[in-house]
Amino acid sequence: MPVSTGFKVYNITFVVLFIIFAGLQYNDPDPYVWMPIYLLGAWICYQASKGQMNIRLYILGLSVYSLYAIYLLFDKTGVIDWASDHHAENIVQTMKAEKPWIEETREFGGLLILIVVFVINWMYLRRK
């Protein structure tokens, strides 16, 4: 199915970003978790840029990412803890996150970006 130029640019942009994000996980304590997460996002965006949609991959990605995001939101050192007990401390003050609530909040943000991109793609491609 043909897609608009804007939709292609949108998806190619996220392909590049998600590959960069995956590469930045190399020195992370758990790259074996985060590299595949971002690379799946890059693959889905690449497929979307060509007008292709693998419904099973979308369901898998959205399910896993949403469940993981909910976990990070409510975990004892998660996003709610960061916002309430740590007064929404700056999460970009240093790239080395030595505090678990900062690491989990950053991870939550990454998952949120992936989820939003997937939902936008799903809505666009389902309309076609």
Side-chain angles (χ1 to χ4, degrees), residues 20-21 24-25 27-29 90-99 102-103 106:
I20 290 170
F21 292 174
L24 291 172
Q25 300 306 310
N27 290 329
D28 202 61
N90 185 353
I91 62 171
V92 294
Q93 59 191 342
T94 177
M95 286 315 295
K96 185 169 175 88
E98 296 169 352
K99 301 170 186 170
I102 290 177
E103 180 69 13
R106 288 177 181 172

Side-chain angles (χ1 to χ4, degrees), residues 42-108:
W43 175 252
I44 285 178
C45 288
Y46 172 72
Q47 293 293 331
S49 74
K50 298 185 335 179
Q52 299 173 357
M53 179 180 183
N54 182 329
I55 194 75
R56 289 185 178 154
L57 279 182
Y58 274 87
I59 291 170
L60 174 69
L62 284 170
S63 299
V64 170
Y65 298 170
S66 297
L67 289 172
Y68 196 13
I70 290 168
Y71 167 77
L72 292 173
L73 184 66
F74 293 106
D75 186 45
K76 67 180 180 173
T77 59
V79 178
I80 292 175
D81 179 59
W82 164 76
S84 60
D85 294 346
H86 302 283
H87 312 291
E89 184 178 349
N90 185 353
I91 62 171
V92 294
Q93 59 191 342
T94 177
M95 286 315 295
K96 185 169 175 88
E98 296 169 352
K99 301 170 186 170
W101 55 89
I102 290 177
E103 180 69 13
E104 290 195 14
T105 301
R106 288 177 181 172
E107 290 173 349
F108 177 83

